[in-house]
Amino acid sequence: DGGITQSPKYLFRKEGQNVTLSCEQNLNHDAMYWYRQDPGQGLRLIYYSQIVNDFQKGDIAEGYSVSREKKESFPLTVTSAQKNPTAFYLCASSLGTGGDTEAFFGQGTRLTVV
Amino acid sequence: AQKVTQAQTEISVVEKEDVTLDCVYETRDTTYYLFWYKQPPSGELVFLIRRNSFDEQNEISGRYSWNFQKSTSSFNFTITASQVVDSAVYFCALYSGGGADGLTFGKGTHLIIQP
């Protein structure tokens, strides 16, 4: 089945550790996105990528890093510089950027700092 | 700057009632797109509808309908004859060229349908 796969579903991080969240899509989409969701809040854009080997900061990029070496993959690293990383992280992809195509979302990764 | 406001944090209705979820948006762009997504307890967002700024026609899809009014900058979502399976968090979102290439989301409305 075509879709977006995020792993792991749950992730625990110790203070000072970097962790990487995986996002893979087999929809042949050019654009991919990472959003952060906090309780009672909407989604906020962390990073997005319009094409392989290119990515742009979103509204809350500090403390995060990404790579886009393959069209199918857009991993997100939460670094120790992110002071409040506990949140629900959602990856999405779309055929192109702009609003004329809808984004499809993965099932999310819930990250908790212990 | 762009912004989406969903003033209703939580709505609770009894099954079979009709319910309307409000969405008000702000953007300076003349070309923009509005979306509704559903987030069930499983967590992933499910796309419901996309509407561009030049198309003010209302849309109906089964029990769902959307009312887009540019004069009031609103894009409201109505569920007719609600069912328990409609229980979820619903997000309204905006895309316009003035922002980063991603969606601006409202904070969501938690809809609870009681049997």
Side-chain angles (χ1 to χ4, degrees):
Chain A
D1 285 353
I4 300 176
T5 302
Q6 290 187 241
S7 62
K9 191 170 183 179
Y10 299 96
L11 187 57
F12 298 90
R13 191 194 94 168
K14 293 183 180 179
E15 295 278 356
Q17 274 186 338
N18 292 353
V19 290
T20 297
L21 284 58
S22 171
C23 178
E24 303 277 333
Q25 55 100 357
N26 60 5
L27 300 168
N28 200 33
H29 285 170
D30 285 315
M32 296 188 74
Y33 310 82
W34 275 104
Y35 289 91
R36 171 180 170 142
Q37 183 180 16
D38 293 285
Q41 301 294 314
L43 280 68
R44 292 181 291 168
L45 183 65
I46 305 173
Y47 267 99
Y48 65 99
S49 169
Q50 297 173 321
I51 198 168
V52 174
N53 292 323
D54 181 67
F55 48 83
Q56 306 294 329
K57 292 182 179 180
D59 300 318
I60 55 165
E62 187 175 349
Y64 300 97
S65 66
V66 293
S67 63
R68 187 86 187 276
E69 296 177 1
K70 298 187 301 182
K71 188 176 186 177
E72 304 79 24
S73 179
F74 191 40
L76 173 74
T77 296
V78 184
T79 74
S80 56
Q82 171 51 239
K83 298 306 178 188
N84 185 22
T86 295
F88 188 55
Y89 291 87
L90 283 157
C91 178
S93 72
S94 61
L95 198 56
T97 56
D100 57 351
T101 60
E102 63 268 26
F104 294 84
F105 285 80
Q107 291 200 321
T109 293
R110 191 167 299 281
L111 173 62
T112 304
V113 173
V114 296
Chain B
Q2 46 198 21
K3 185 179 178 182
V4 176
T5 301
Q6 295 180 256
Q8 304 149 311
T9 305
E10 185 174 288
I11 300 175
S12 180
V13 300
V14 176
E15 198 172 20
K16 297 183 184 176
E17 287 186 14
D18 299 347
V19 58
T20 295
L21 310 182
D22 297 332
C23 173
V24 174
Y25 62 92
E26 295 175 32
T27 179
R28 293 178 183 173
D29 294 304
T30 55
T31 300
Y32 53 89
Y33 297 83
L34 294 162
F35 300 77
W36 276 95
Y37 281 88
K38 174 182 180 179
Q39 186 178 40
S42 59
E44 71 182 285
L45 268 70
V46 177
F47 167 77
L48 295 177
I49 191 171
R50 178 183 67 249
R51 174 68 71 212
N52 73 52
S53 53
F54 299 108
D55 183 1
E56 285 194 74
Q57 267 195 329
N58 292 332
E59 178 151 344
I60 298 174
S61 176
R63 295 184 297 107
Y64 296 171
S65 63
W66 290 268
N67 182 279
F68 177 28
Q69 291 194 336
K70 287 177 74 170
S71 60
T72 56
S73 297
S74 65
F75 187 44
N76 297 337
F77 172 33
T78 297
I79 301 175
T80 303
S82 60
Q83 299 176 2
V84 172
V85 293
D86 295 326
S87 296
V89 180
Y90 290 86
F91 290 98
C92 180
L94 166 71
Y95 174 87
S96 67
D101 256 345
L103 297 172
T104 298
F105 283 84
K107 292 187 177 182
T109 296
H110 184 198
L111 178 63
I112 301 168
I113 309 298
Q114 299 179 16

